[in-house]
Amino acid sequence: MKLPWNDYSGKLSPLKLTVFIALFLPAAWTALAFATSNLGARPLNEAIHQQGLWTIRLILIALAITPLKAILLWQRLILVRRMVGVGAFTYVLLHFSLYVTDQNFNLVTVASEIVKRIYLTIGFIALLGLAALAATSTDRMVRRLGRKWQSLHRLVYLIGLLGLIHYSMQSKLEQWEPTIADGIFVWLMGYRLLAARFAVRGRLGLGWVAALGVGATVLTGLGEALYFNLAFHVDPLRVLSADFSLQTGVRPAAIVFAFSLIVLVAGLARERLAPPPQGSQRGRARFA
């Protein structure tokens, strides 16, 4: 039996072991906080929220593995992509199970709420999508599905989008972190679009990575301004001006810019330490 922390050769992978342990930490922290009454006035509701939040984070981390593998020239990073994806499904299942618990295990009420509330409908569709991906994540299913496996698992892009919509609708006024997640998702999808057209030997040039960071930052700021204008009739210029001020705290666009900059600097540092093979011919790679 192949253990989850072993690589394809059956040897212990420190990277896989570290990620495997790390995947348990958010749920363990929530369980400890719940047991010690440190989850606020509505502990079960807060626990539901935290597991859903970690589902979104893990989906974004799973999507980030392909670009980071190429930018950082770290091929072994691909070893943990499937593990993180299954972790995302585990957290969404825990998220849903806690919601069922909050409804006193009344499945009729749960089903009725999912049908009546559009954000719950969207979230449940995303859960079913993650379940399908998790069920086909074994080595046996990869071999059985062949080329169809990669096509099926590209559904993670749609699932990620649905998860972000669910998160934003559920958060209502608290749009700070949902907007950050949206901006990072834009970066991740933008990378794939650019890489499909401009990657050389499977690696997108760092000039494109820099431009992508600027584009994702601008779109994050514009998206936030549009949301507040449509929802609360706030002048978009007021929201955009806040991106250049700390009076309202660090805005989502600044966080997305920082994320983009960190990835770019890490790529530049890695390139200096180990320059990629030279080649002028453009090559297209598969991006999952």
Side-chain angles (χ1 to χ4, degrees):
M1 179 181 176
K2 182 180 175 182
L3 298 174
W5 46 80
N6 289 345
D7 59 21
Y8 293 123
S9 66
K11 297 180 180 179
L12 174 67
S13 168
L15 173 63
K16 293 190 72 174
L17 179 60
T18 301
V19 172
F20 182 78
I21 294 172
L23 287 171
F24 287 90
L25 297 181
W29 186 93
T30 301
L32 179 62
F34 186 89
T36 55
S37 302
N38 285 312
L39 283 183
R42 301 178 61 192
L44 186 54
N45 187 69
E46 179 61 22
I48 293 169
H49 171 75
Q50 288 187 9
Q51 307 324 297
L53 177 56
W54 274 103
T55 301
I56 296 295
R57 288 171 175 170
L58 289 174
I59 290 174
L60 293 177
I61 291 171
L63 289 173
I65 288 174
T66 291
L68 292 180
K69 173 179 70 73
I71 293 170
L72 302 180
L73 303 174
W74 190 4
Q75 297 303 313
R76 291 183 67 81
L77 196 58
I78 202 68
L79 290 173
V80 299
R81 185 174 63 185
R82 211 187 309 177
M83 182 187 292
V84 175
V86 173
F89 168 66
T90 303
Y91 274 88
V92 78
L93 191 60
L94 181 57
H95 173 68
F96 181 68
S97 299
L98 290 173
Y99 173 71
V100 173
T101 303
D102 191 47
Q103 300 298 318
N104 298 314
F105 301 97
N106 189 328
L107 298 183
V108 174
T109 300
V110 171
S112 174
E113 289 293 298
I114 290 172
V115 171
K116 288 191 301 183
R117 301 182 187 276
I118 185 63
Y119 79 93
L120 291 179
T121 305
I122 293 171
F124 190 68
I125 292 172
L127 184 154
L128 294 178
L130 283 175
L133 299 191
T136 56
S137 287
T138 63
D139 291 337
R140 181 180 178 183
M141 289 303 297
V142 173
R143 292 191 297 269
R144 183 175 179 181
L145 292 173
R147 293 182 178 180
K148 293 180 181 178
W149 184 89
Q150 191 170 45
S151 298
L152 174 65
H153 279 249
R154 285 198 177 106
L155 283 175
V156 70
Y157 306 149
L158 176 60
I159 291 168
L161 178 60
L162 291 176
L164 289 171
I165 293 172
H166 168 79
Y167 182 27
S168 182
M169 293 178 70
Q170 185 273 333
S171 297
K172 299 176 183 176
L173 292 177
E174 293 293 332
Q175 289 296 314
W176 186 77
E177 189 157 356
T179 305
I180 294 171
D182 292 343
I184 293 175
F185 184 75
V186 167
W187 190 98
L188 294 169
M189 294 299 100
Y191 180 92
R192 285 165 167 79
L193 292 174
L194 291 173
R197 178 68 178 85
F198 300 109
V200 176
R201 295 186 179 183
R203 188 171 190 265
L204 187 64
L206 293 180
W208 286 110
V209 175
L212 175 61
V214 173
T217 300
V218 170
L219 289 174
T220 301
L222 292 175
E224 183 185 31
L226 179 62
Y227 169 79
F228 279 103
N229 178 256
L230 294 176
F232 306 108
H233 307 291
V234 177
D235 184 355
L237 292 179
R238 279 187 61 193
V239 180
L240 291 173
S241 65
D243 291 331
F244 301 95
S245 170
L246 294 178
Q247 291 183 353
T248 58
V250 180
R251 304 308 307 161
I255 302 295
V256 173
F257 178 75
F259 163 80
S260 307
L261 185 61
I262 290 170
V263 172
L264 177 62
V265 170
L268 288 168
R270 187 67 178 93
E271 198 170 80
R272 278 187 170 274
L273 292 173
Q278 296 297 316
S280 57
Q281 184 180 5
R282 283 178 182 169
R284 295 190 181 183
R286 292 179 179 177
F287 295 88

